[in-house]
Amino acid sequence: ACGGHGYPHASGLPRLYANMTPGATYEGENTVMMLQTARYLMKSYDQSLRGEKLAGSVAYLAGIQSVPVAGRTKNMLDVSVLCDAYQHRAARIIHEAAAHLRSEKQSGKDHPDAWNATSVDLVKAATAHSQYFVVKNFAERLTDPTLDSSISDVLTRLCRLHALHGLVTNSGDFLEDGYLTGADIRQARRQINSLMAKLRPDAVALVDAFDFPDIFLKSILGRYDGNVYEHLLEWARSSPLNKTEVHESYYKYLKPFLQANRAKL
């Protein structure tokens, strides 16, 4: 979206990219953390099978919602409908991962080998749980009575967009057992386009809400005052390469070379 202006260091993007990219692998690759989450989910799921009461973020594992009647179209803008869909998906995928792990053990593998054989399913289960956790908490925050109505309206649209984007991106998970229908997914895609248009006027304000100061961003593009081109010109003028009309390297290297080889050229 920045075009060529995103390449110079003055944009701040190269520095941000270099600083943030390693964060995904510091102290271990992210899959390790996903598998740690999966370990907790498998433990909680086993507790639910023993009839133990679950609390907090895993309380929903006590049961899997029934699949709705086929052909019944949902309101894909209803935040509660979206939360239920994410919850059902997470519970089902965790149930299937636990069943796979149990099957591997029953085949004669010890726990470490069975765990490794199930690791792909376990990571998927942890991902589904994490996504449900984010959507659920986002939706619950919208019910805060102290939230200003104008802010609540914008954040509700943002919550819907976030949930619908994840739903469409992972539509196969929601369609696999018939919980959602093709009509639901098509409706979700249409709503995404509509929500993006409605959120566009608030996009800058939503980003500014993070309140990152200019001194931290160090970017001519992301400045709070919005004077991009004025600062871009100022940055270009301050560059050592632009102190003179023609850089000294021309006179030192290129001009003698051209003069010495003029006849050959």
Side-chain angles (χ1 to χ4, degrees), residues 166-184:
L167 187 147
V168 169
T169 301
N170 301 283
S171 57
D173 292 342
F174 297 93
L175 292 168
E176 187 172 335
D177 68 340
Y179 188 84
L180 293 183
T181 66
D184 293 327

Side-chain angles (χ1 to χ4, degrees), residues 154 157 194-208:
V154 174
R157 286 193 287 268
S194 175
L195 286 167
M196 286 193 294
K198 291 177 181 177
L199 276 170
R200 187 181 297 276
D202 300 304
V204 173
L206 285 168
V207 175
D208 283 346

Side-chain angles (χ1 to χ4, degrees), residues 2 25 28 31 33 44 62 84 93 100-101 117-118 120 122 127 132 137 142 167 172 190 199 204 216 218 245 251:
C2 298
T25 53
T31 302
M33 290 182 281
S44 299
D84 287 345
I93 291 176
H100 185 189
L101 180 62
T118 320
V120 172
L122 292 169
T127 301
Y132 165 59
N137 282 275
L142 297 175
L167 187 147
R190 290 194 299 271
L199 276 170
V204 173
F216 177 78
K218 297 178 181 177
E245 190 72 20
Y251 299 103

Side-chain angles (χ1 to χ4, degrees), residues 40-176:
Y40 171 67
L41 293 174
M42 293 299 103
K43 179 181 177 181
S44 299
Y45 182 78
D46 287 342
Q47 290 174 336
S48 73
L49 294 180
R50 294 194 296 268
E52 299 179 25
K53 186 176 181 180
L54 301 178
S57 65
V58 294
Y60 69 97
L61 293 180
I64 300 178
Q65 301 148 274
S66 59
V67 177
V69 178
R72 186 177 178 182
T73 304
K74 293 182 172 61
N75 177 9
M76 300 308 290
L77 280 181
D78 187 331
V79 174
S80 64
V81 168
L82 296 172
C83 285
D84 287 345
Y86 272 87
Q87 183 188 92
H88 176 85
R89 169 197 179 222
R92 179 181 62 79
I93 291 176
I94 291 169
H95 167 77
E96 291 176 355
H100 185 189
L101 180 62
R102 185 166 56 251
S103 174
E104 293 291 343
K105 289 180 179 179
Q106 290 174 348
S107 70
K109 293 179 180 177
D110 58 16
H111 182 76
D113 286 340
W115 185 265
N116 287 337
T118 320
S119 59
V120 172
D121 289 349
L122 292 169
V123 169
K124 186 173 181 179
T127 301
H129 170 77
S130 300
Q131 291 174 346
Y132 165 59
F133 180 84
V134 171
V135 171
K136 174 177 175 290
N137 282 275
F138 197 162
E140 288 179 350
R141 184 66 179 88
L142 297 175
T143 63
D144 187 340
T146 63
L147 204 60
D148 183 87
S149 60
S150 59
I151 296 175
S152 177
D153 290 342
V154 174
L155 291 180
T156 297
R157 286 193 287 268
L158 187 62
C159 180
R160 288 168 174 166
L161 180 61
H162 170 75
L164 287 171
H165 176 266
L167 187 147
V168 169
T169 301
N170 301 283
S171 57
D173 292 342
F174 297 93
L175 292 168
E176 187 172 335

